[in-house]
Amino acid sequence: MTAYPPLLSLPAPLTMAHILTFPHLSLPTHHPLLSSLKLRKLIINASATSSPETTRRKSKNKQQKEEAAAFAAVVKEEKALRLVFMEELMKRAREKDAEGVSDVIYDMVAAGLRPGPRSYHGLVVANVLNRDLDGAMQALRRELSTGLRPLHETFVALIRLFGSEGHTTRASEILSAMEKLNYDIRQAWLVLVEELVRSNHMEDANKVFLKGAKGGLRATDELYDKMIEEDCKVGDHSNALTIAYEMEAAGRMATTFHFNCLLSVQATCGIPEVALATFENMEYGGYDYMKPDTETYNHVIQAYTRAESYDRMLNVGDLLGMMVESHKRIQPNMRTYALLVECFSKYCVVKEAIRHFRALKNFEGGTRFLHNGGQFGDPLSLYLRALCREGRIVELLEALEAMAKDNQPIPPRAMILSKKYRTLVSSWIEPLQEEAELGYEIDYVARYVAEGGLTGDRKRWVPRRGKTPLDPDALGFIYSYPAETSFKQCCLEEWKWHHRKLLRHLRRTGPSALGDVSEADYIRVEERLIKIIRGPSKKPLKPKAASKMVVPELRQELEAQGLPTDGNRNVLYQRVQKARRINLSRSRPLWIPPVEQVEEEVDEEVEELISRIQLQEGNTEFWKRRFLGENLHNEQKKLISLEFTKGDADESDKAGEEEEVEQSGSPKSKDKDVEDSKAPLQMIGVQLSKDDDMAPRRSKKNDMAPRRSKKNKRMFIFPEKEDDEDWFPLDIYEAFKEMRERKAFDVEDMYTIADAWGWTWDVEIRNRTPQLWSPQWEVDLAIKVMLKVIELGGTPTIGDCAMILRSAIKGPVPSSFVSILQITHKLGYKFGSPLYDEVITLCLDLEELDAAIAIVADLETGGITVSNEILDKVISARADA
């Protein structure tokens, strides 16, 4: 017989009450502990149905007490022995030793103890922990064969095992057996559903859950949440919605969490109207526990952004406005900004995409989240390509630096080649539609073969009839990719747009924007701004008629085209005419004599006055004070006096302004800009007084002006009607006081998206004066972009390097020659000798001897041969120095 350890303290899962309560046990008379014949006789007498009558009551009571004490001692001894067995049994069960548990049961039988339900429960648990389905069922059958009734915990353990393995049918059979034994199956049903969900058997879990719910079983709140969440994760919207209805029928209403789970599925179905209906149910449901949160807006924005039907830009704008209005309750997160950048990039609203990307890059890993593994059209690449095509290189470099901070490699989609074999490193440098000069002749036939021209794999840039465009930039954008613009042109447009805002602000505010100035200074500043906005003349230059050209002009044109210049005027005239006809027939541009660009003289006094104009875009505090009428009297006095002194003298400027507007945009936007720039920004009290003064004396000239609405007529004609809600006092300060008393408007409601979302950098950037384009700035940016692209794993082409070098030559920017050539050689590229000779000669002409020597040294280090003629020039220049 096995030796057992002494009595031990029981572990937490098994209490003393569980072990010491055995109502099913019967005490055998042949137990080893009852070896004493006297004790056995006492037990036999105690088990008799009736005891002999004694003559004395005192002796009878004494005998019964002795028998009860003896029986209690026996039971105590048996319980102590059974406790030892049970401790060993449960120890083996926790160790997953099913054979050891079975041996303990056999030892109990050998010791004269009858195993109870808890003993067999330990055997079942041991097999369950071993994930042995057959062993657990065999232990249950063994228990039933002894005539015992299994415990509730035994059935739960078996159901947990079957649920984790996905055996729904066998688990259902166990539930049926529990019902027949009058056990409460709710706990077992909950365990089964939880195990099916945990083991990703969602289809079976839904069936079991809905069957139990319809049968009257009530799930816990945690299980409702888990089922809806897991169903939505796998895209099972139907079952998730059914479970939500069952939850509401059970008395628990759906909250924001449940709506968000449903929206996560609706956002991917391609029909954003479904997500919008759910959103409106949350927004206008009237209960705080179901109000939309940040994730709600994220799901709806995602539904509209990734929908493939119709223009969804306005819908996203509406959602963005609602989210800003609720800024006290919800704030955007990284996913919000990533979705907005994706939306604005796909719809080519690049300026808004830049604003939200600046907020996104403040989150750690923001660019990696935006990239999203290249899914959904690769939003990060679309953003980079949009910046490149629009010539916004400062923002492009900013995005590349953010990617380097997040360890996000540059995607292949962003590094696609243009038609001229240039990437985003140089495709924004003028000329845009020309291939870079490499210093040697390109073997176009070999390149055609290498690109798959003989096998049909070569990329076709011109689409065939009925085929989709083959330009890789067309992929990902909703309608079309942004128009290609050079960096130089982008800087010019930004410069004009900034001065257009200055002019509008000047006309709205009046001379007070310039400080204490005279009317003449105001007019000079206005004319200067108009001239900047118009920009240089864009009229195409045409060649002079050959019949009106003199002999030197004829010879100049022929010499520029490589044609002979001998002969008299008639011969030269015929050659020029023939050359022009040939160029026109071959679609070549006609030769035009170079025009010398005269640098415009800058009036420093006017520029200083222009610098005084302070734009207040996005400055909420300024506009709050403006609304309250602070410092408004002086501005209005200056503005009105200026209007009266100028009179009709501005008529001559109107034509110029219209001409300016014609060059700036479409007719509708132009007219609107002119009206906005001419109409000064006045408060409602001043507007009412002016309109009221002008109303009774309308002239024929004013008859052509647009008439006021009926509402405004009633406001102006009947000012004496005090109870009219639309009536305000004519004095501006009294009008503001009246508005505050009526609570018609509160200055606390004046805020922008920058105020609501904490964009502290936005106001400064929007009011910052843009930098003028310069060759030095362009070359420096190109070098920085190229280095950053190499750092992020991209590979610039030799065309990129040659284009940057050519831009530096045109500048000229000799200080950048050495760095450009060194980067080119590190990439394994080599230019032709004529290009190297041109660079070294230019350095010598510009008296940049150190740069020329550094270039020659770098070439010799890289094994590139330098012509003797160039070496002699460098040596002689060094000797002369």
Side-chain angles (χ1 to χ4, degrees):
M1 185 173 178
T2 307
Y4 296 99
L7 294 178
L8 300 175
S9 60
L10 296 178
L14 190 63
T15 61
M16 184 68 71
H18 291 158
I19 299 178
L20 298 181
T21 307
F22 296 96
H24 59 280
L25 290 179
S26 60
L27 184 63
T29 57
H30 59 277
H31 194 278
L33 296 176
L34 307 180
S35 57
S36 173
L37 294 177
K38 185 176 180 180
L39 185 58
R40 183 184 298 272
K41 183 177 180 181
L42 290 173
I43 294 174
I44 293 174
N45 292 335
S47 60
T49 57
S50 63
S51 59
E53 289 189 14
T54 57
T55 56
R56 296 180 181 178
R57 180 177 294 275
K58 186 175 181 179
S59 60
K60 182 179 180 180
N61 293 337
K62 183 178 180 181
Q63 183 180 2
Q64 290 178 353
K65 289 181 181 181
E66 291 176 355
E67 292 175 356
F71 185 79
V74 173
V75 172
K76 184 177 180 180
E77 290 291 335
E78 182 181 358
K79 286 183 178 181
L81 181 60
R82 184 176 293 276
L83 180 61
V84 174
F85 277 109
M86 290 303 299
E87 284 185 344
E88 181 67 19
L89 187 146
M90 297 310 296
K91 178 182 177 183
R92 300 286 180 88
R94 291 191 189 93
E95 295 175 354
K96 305 180 184 179
D97 186 5
E99 294 182 359
V101 174
S102 182
D103 292 341
V104 172
I105 292 176
Y106 283 125
D107 290 342
M108 291 178 67
V109 174
L113 298 176
R114 181 184 177 185
R118 297 200 174 277
S119 301
Y120 288 102
H121 175 70
L123 181 60
V124 172
V125 168
N127 286 281
V128 168
L129 294 177
N130 285 323
R131 321 291 293 180
D132 186 0
L133 298 175
D134 296 334
M137 288 302 298
Q138 186 64 29
L140 180 63
R141 295 190 189 98
R142 180 177 172 183
E143 180 180 6
L144 294 173
S145 64
T146 60
L148 297 176
R149 177 178 177 175
L151 298 175
H152 183 274
E153 294 85 347
T154 305
F155 288 117
V156 173
L158 287 172
I159 287 177
R160 189 180 296 276
L161 175 61
F162 291 141
S164 62
E165 297 295 332
H167 296 284
T168 311
T169 305
R170 301 181 70 175
S172 300
E173 293 175 354
I174 298 294
L175 288 176
S176 301
M178 292 180 67
E179 283 187 308
K180 292 180 181 178
L181 293 175
N182 295 326
Y183 280 132
D184 185 9
I185 66 170
R186 179 177 178 270
Q187 184 64 30
W189 171 70
L190 295 175
V191 170
L192 175 58
V193 175
E194 289 175 356
E195 290 298 327
L196 290 173
V197 171
R198 189 177 293 112
S199 58
N200 295 325
H201 295 88
M202 289 305 303
E203 184 177 356
D204 295 333
N206 287 321
K207 291 179 180 179
V208 173
F209 182 87
L210 294 176
K211 184 177 180 181
K214 293 178 181 178
L217 297 177
R218 178 181 173 84
T220 60
D221 294 347
E222 293 78 11
L223 185 58
Y224 278 123
D225 297 345
K226 189 70 174 177
M227 288 294 297
I228 295 175
E229 183 180 8
E230 294 298 327
D231 277 332
C232 292
K233 283 183 179 179
V234 299
D236 192 353
H237 183 270
S238 177
N239 280 322
L241 191 60
T242 304
I243 294 174
Y245 287 149
E246 291 291 338
M247 180 183 67
E248 291 187 346
R252 186 190 180 207
M253 302 305 294
T255 62
T256 303
F257 169 79
H258 306 102
F259 282 107
N260 285 344
C261 292
L262 296 175
L263 280 171
S264 65
V265 184
Q266 297 168 4
T268 59
C269 69
I271 307 176
E273 286 75 15
V274 178
L276 180 62
T278 305
F279 172 80
E280 290 177 347
N281 188 17
M282 299 174 64
E283 179 68 23
Y284 307 113
Y287 300 101
D288 293 337
Y289 57 80
M290 59 188 296
K291 285 292 183 181
D293 60 358
T294 303
E295 286 304 318
T296 306
Y297 282 96
N298 290 346
H299 292 313
V300 185
I301 292 173
Q302 174 186 332
Y304 278 114
T305 299
R306 297 172 183 171
E308 298 179 356
S309 59
Y310 309 110
D311 187 352
R312 305 296 186 176
M313 186 66 216
L314 296 178
N315 303 101
V316 175
D318 294 340
L319 288 170
L320 185 58
M322 296 177 65
M323 192 173 184
V324 172
E325 290 178 356
S326 305
H327 68 277
K328 295 182 179 179
R329 185 170 54 89
I330 54 177
Q331 285 287 314
N333 54 18
M334 181 169 60
R335 184 163 177 255
T336 309
Y337 288 124
L339 288 170
L340 290 173
V341 172
E342 177 183 350
C343 175
F344 293 132
S345 299
K346 288 182 176 180
Y347 283 96
C348 301
V349 189
V350 182
K351 288 187 177 180
E352 285 299 318
I354 292 171
R355 294 182 69 195
H356 290 85
F357 183 84
R358 289 194 177 107
L360 176 64
K361 72 176 184 178
N362 294 328
F363 292 89
E364 184 178 357
T367 56
R368 301 185 70 89
F369 189 87
L370 179 62
H371 179 53
N372 198 15
Q375 299 179 0
F376 309 110
D378 195 354
L380 178 60
S381 297
L382 295 180
Y383 177 70
L384 296 177
R385 291 301 304 170
L387 294 177
C388 175
R389 292 188 66 90
E390 288 203 354
R392 303 182 182 277
I393 308 307
V394 177
E395 291 78 8
L396 175 62
L397 182 60
E398 183 180 349
L400 294 176
E401 291 174 351
M403 293 170 60
K405 185 180 69 173
D406 294 336
N407 295 324
Q408 167 61 45
I410 189 167
R413 167 72 175 84
M415 290 294 295
I416 58 177
L417 290 176
S418 66
K419 189 177 180 179
K420 300 302 178 181
Y421 301 91
R422 294 155 64 180
T423 65
L424 57 79
V425 175
S426 69
S427 59
W428 42 272
I429 300 177
E430 291 183 354
L432 301 179
Q433 302 302 328
E434 290 186 12
E435 195 169 346
E437 299 178 11
L438 305 180
Y440 55 83
E441 292 293 333
I442 300 175
D443 190 350
Y444 293 101
V445 176
R447 188 166 71 179
Y448 178 82
V449 174
E451 292 175 354
L454 300 179
T455 60
D457 296 333
R458 185 172 179 268
K459 182 185 300 181
R460 292 174 57 92
W461 290 93
V462 180
R464 291 162 287 182
R465 180 175 298 177
K467 301 294 182 179
T468 57
L470 301 179
D471 191 343
D473 260 345
L475 299 176
F477 294 99
I478 299 297
Y479 292 113
S480 63
Y481 45 82
E484 200 168 10
T485 308
S486 66
F487 174 63
K488 181 178 180 180
Q489 184 65 25
C490 178
C491 291
L492 181 59
E493 294 298 328
E494 290 291 330
W495 182 256
K496 289 183 178 180
W497 178 247
H498 177 73
H499 285 80
R500 187 177 290 113
K501 292 191 294 185
L502 292 178
L503 178 60
R504 187 181 299 119
H505 180 73
L506 178 64
R507 286 175 170 172
R508 286 175 174 174
T509 309
S512 60
L514 303 175
D516 189 8
V517 295
S518 63
E519 179 184 348
D521 293 335
Y522 177 87
I523 295 175
R524 289 168 59 199
V525 170
E526 186 179 22
E527 291 176 351
R528 173 61 181 166
L529 292 175
I530 293 175
K531 188 174 183 180
I532 294 176
I533 294 171
R534 288 177 181 174
S537 177
K538 295 184 179 179
K539 295 181 180 179
L541 298 176
K542 296 181 180 180
K544 189 176 181 180
S547 60
K548 297 181 180 181
M549 296 172 66
V550 295
V551 173
E553 293 176 342
L554 294 172
R555 287 179 177 174
Q556 181 184 8
E557 182 170 349
L558 292 173
E559 185 180 0
Q561 301 181 66
L563 299 175
T565 59
D566 56 335
N568 56 19
R569 187 184 184 283
N570 291 333
V571 175
L572 297 176
Y573 170 78
Q574 293 296 332
R575 288 176 185 167
V576 169
Q577 288 289 74
K578 187 175 181 180
R580 290 182 177 182
R581 287 195 296 268
I582 292 174
N583 288 336
L584 290 174
S585 64
R586 296 180 179 179
S587 300
R588 294 176 181 174
L590 298 179
W591 183 85
I592 301 173
V595 180
E596 296 183 1
Q597 295 183 356
V598 181
E599 294 185 2
E600 183 182 0
E601 295 183 1
V602 179
D603 190 344
E604 296 183 357
E605 183 180 356
V606 175
E607 294 298 328
E608 193 274 333
L609 292 176
I610 292 177
S611 64
R612 296 182 185 179
I613 304 176
Q614 299 294 328
L615 295 177
Q616 302 294 342
E617 291 190 6
N619 190 351
T620 308
E621 294 301 324
F622 170 81
W623 291 109
K624 284 182 179 179
R625 296 192 303 269
R626 181 82 176 188
F627 178 77
L628 294 176
E630 297 181 10
N631 300 328
L632 192 60
H633 279 307
N634 296 332
E635 296 181 10
Q636 293 301 330
K637 288 180 181 179
K638 292 183 178 181
L639 184 61
I640 293 172
S641 63
L642 182 64
E643 290 177 355
F644 279 103
T645 52
K646 290 179 69 176
D648 295 336
D650 294 338
E651 295 295 333
S652 59
D653 294 339
K654 292 183 180 178
E657 292 170 7
E658 292 175 0
E659 182 179 346
E660 163 210 341
V661 172
E662 288 178 1
Q663 299 178 2
S664 62
S666 61
K668 294 182 179 179
S669 62
K670 299 162 189 172
D671 297 340
K672 184 177 179 181
D673 288 343
V674 171
E675 293 175 3
D676 290 345
S677 61
K678 289 184 178 181
L681 183 62
Q682 300 170 342
M683 294 298 98
I684 186 170
V686 178
Q687 293 173 358
L688 292 178
S689 81
K690 286 191 67 178
D691 291 339
D692 188 57
D693 293 339
M694 293 172 61
R697 49 177 187 273
R698 292 176 59 89
S699 62
K700 293 182 179 180
K701 183 178 179 180
N702 291 332
D703 289 341
M704 300 302 295
R707 297 184 179 273
R708 294 186 294 272
S709 63
K710 294 182 179 180
K711 179 179 179 182
N712 289 338
K713 282 185 178 181
R714 177 171 54 85
M715 185 192 305
F716 299 144
I717 296 175
F718 305 103
E720 68 277 1
K721 190 176 180 180
E722 296 290 342
D723 58 344
D724 190 353
E725 295 181 356
D726 294 334
W727 178 85
F728 289 101
L730 297 182
D731 183 79
I732 187 169
Y733 292 102
E734 294 181 3
F736 290 143
K737 182 179 179 181
E738 186 71 20
M739 293 181 71
R740 288 193 293 269
E741 291 178 354
R742 295 186 191 178
K743 297 182 179 180
F745 186 79
D746 189 3
V747 292
E748 297 301 326
D749 296 332
M750 297 178 65
Y751 55 84
T752 63
I753 186 174
D755 301 323
W757 288 357
W759 295 356
T760 56
W761 62 88
D762 190 67
V763 176
E764 179 184 357
I765 293 176
R766 293 179 65 182
N767 297 321
R768 185 171 56 193
T769 303
Q771 184 176 348
L772 273 174
W773 177 88
S774 65
Q776 178 72 46
W777 188 30
E778 184 178 72
V779 173
D780 292 343
L781 283 177
I783 295 174
K784 290 180 181 179
V785 169
M786 182 163 58
L787 292 175
K788 193 61 65 174
V789 166
I790 296 173
E791 179 185 350
L792 296 175
T795 305
T797 63
I798 188 173
D800 294 328
C801 302
M803 207 67 208
I804 298 174
L805 182 60
R806 178 58 60 185
S807 177
I809 292 174
K810 288 181 179 179
V813 189
S815 60
S816 303
F817 291 160
V818 179
S819 58
I820 295 173
L821 292 175
Q822 289 177 350
I823 297 172
T824 303
H825 297 155
K826 287 181 181 179
L827 293 172
Y829 302 134
K830 294 181 180 180
F831 298 125
S833 297
L835 186 56
Y836 290 122
D837 296 345
E838 181 182 359
V839 173
I840 297 173
T841 304
L842 180 60
C843 289
L844 295 177
D845 295 340
L846 297 174
E847 299 181 356
E848 295 287 344
L849 182 59
D850 295 338
I853 295 174
I855 292 172
V856 172
D858 184 67
L859 294 179
E860 292 180 349
T861 304
I864 301 174
T865 305
V866 184
S867 63
N868 295 330
E869 181 181 357
I870 297 300
L871 289 176
D872 292 340
K873 288 183 178 180
V874 174
I875 293 173
S876 61
R878 186 175 183 182
D880 295 340

